[in-house]
Amino acid sequence: VCSTCPAGAFCPFATALPVVCAIKGAYCPPGSSLQSMCPAGSRCPSNSTIATCYQGNFCPSGSVSQTQCPSGSHCAAMASAPTECVLGSFCPAGSAIESPCAEGYYCSNTSVQILCTQGFFCPQSSISQGLCSIGTYFDSAKVQCQVCPLNASSPVMSNTIQNCTCNPCFTGQNGKECSPCGEGTFNSDGGSITNCSVCPHGTFCKSATAVPTQCPINTYCGTGVREPTSCPQFSTSLAASGSISVSYTHLTLPTNRE
């Protein structure tokens, strides 16, 4: 009576005795007629046992044990080989799935996450750092560049809202919305916590002025005025006059004739 070939051995046709599976990584279940290698995606600790390759590992054909998935790749359960991760993802050693590079970090390669430098921004899946441009600042809570408050600006690579200062013609505090200089005042330098200056004699300043405007000929401007005042009738003045001290013209009156 023919008996079933036992596990760990194989029985060629018309054999009298089982032949032991001797090749490392071979798998011979009961009833084997030949010696076969452990199938890909599985591991065979012995010639008679087989187990599934766990996720985060891979098992090529003939594996006795599973191999950890290397960094920069991912391995699903029963993987026979690592799958390379795409740029913008992060895959440390032993990854079962491909994960996006986290917000606040960038992944120039898929093996490591690098913390975003202050003044730059790194949204999810970044492969490099983005630069915060003029008029923006890096908000660590939102992990991106934010626009400065109204009428304020900031230099490149600003890393806090406090770097936002008032534009010329405006005044206010660091990181706050700035208000225009009022009529009769000006601010040529900008910058926060800078008061608007009173427009000097001989000039006038409309609202939100950076540089005072010189009073034109035949007008005069006192201190802190919004617009020039015309000289009185029959008088004149030079440009940039700061008071009503003017020169009267000489008039020749017509003579009555009978």
Side-chain angles (χ1 to χ4, degrees):
V1 177
C2 295
S3 300
T4 300
C5 204
F10 65 99
C11 300
F13 180 72
T15 186
L17 296 172
V19 180
V20 175
C21 283
I23 299 175
K24 186 177 181 180
Y27 174 54
C28 298
S32 295
S33 61
L34 50 83
Q35 187 171 221
S36 301
M37 300 307 294
C38 191
S42 299
R43 51 196 167 91
C44 299
S46 72
N47 296 126
S48 60
T49 57
I50 187 170
T52 298
C53 201
Y54 295 148
Q55 62 179 12
N57 299 274
F58 69 99
C59 300
S61 176
S63 294
V64 174
S65 60
Q66 56 191 7
T67 303
Q68 186 181 54
C69 207
S71 59
S73 61
H74 60 98
C75 301
M78 299 184 67
S80 60
T83 300
E84 186 176 355
C85 293
V86 299
L87 283 175
S89 62
F90 173 51
C91 300
S95 292
I97 59 173
E98 188 176 62
S99 301
C101 195
E103 284 187 338
Y105 294 83
Y106 67 98
C107 300
S108 53
N109 64 67
T110 56
S111 300
V112 62
Q113 290 189 129
I114 305 171
L115 183 65
C116 207
T117 307
Q118 285 193 337
F120 293 82
F121 70 99
C122 300
Q124 189 183 75
S125 301
S126 293
I127 60 175
S128 61
Q129 301 184 99
L131 183 67
C132 287
S133 59
I134 293 174
T136 67
Y137 65 95
F138 178 69
D139 187 334
S140 57
K142 296 183 179 179
V143 202
Q144 59 184 344
C145 297
Q146 299 291 310
V147 177
C148 282
L150 185 65
N151 301 323
S153 190
S154 63
V156 173
M157 294 179 60
S158 293
N159 55 29
T160 171
I161 193 173
Q162 296 302 313
N163 292 130
C164 296
T165 59
C166 293
N167 295 324
C169 310
F170 298 87
T171 184
Q173 296 183 338
N174 291 341
K176 302 291 185 181
E177 181 177 322
C178 299
S179 302
C181 288
E183 295 177 350
T185 64
F186 71 99
N187 183 355
S188 58
D189 298 325
S192 294
I193 320 179
T194 301
N195 293 324
C196 299
S197 301
V198 176
C199 224
H201 275 70
T203 63
F204 64 96
C205 301
K206 296 186 176 182
S207 178
T209 296
V211 179
T213 303
Q214 181 177 278
C215 274
I217 295 174
N218 296 332
T219 66
Y220 66 92
C221 300
T223 301
V225 297
R226 173 184 180 277
E227 57 187 15
T229 301
S230 298
C231 288
Q233 189 176 18
F234 307 126
S235 63
T236 186
S237 70
L238 300 176
S241 292
S243 67
I244 59 174
S245 178
V246 297
S247 300
Y248 286 88
T249 58
H250 295 284
L251 301 177
T252 302
L253 299 177
T255 302
N256 290 330
R257 295 182 179 180
E258 295 182 356

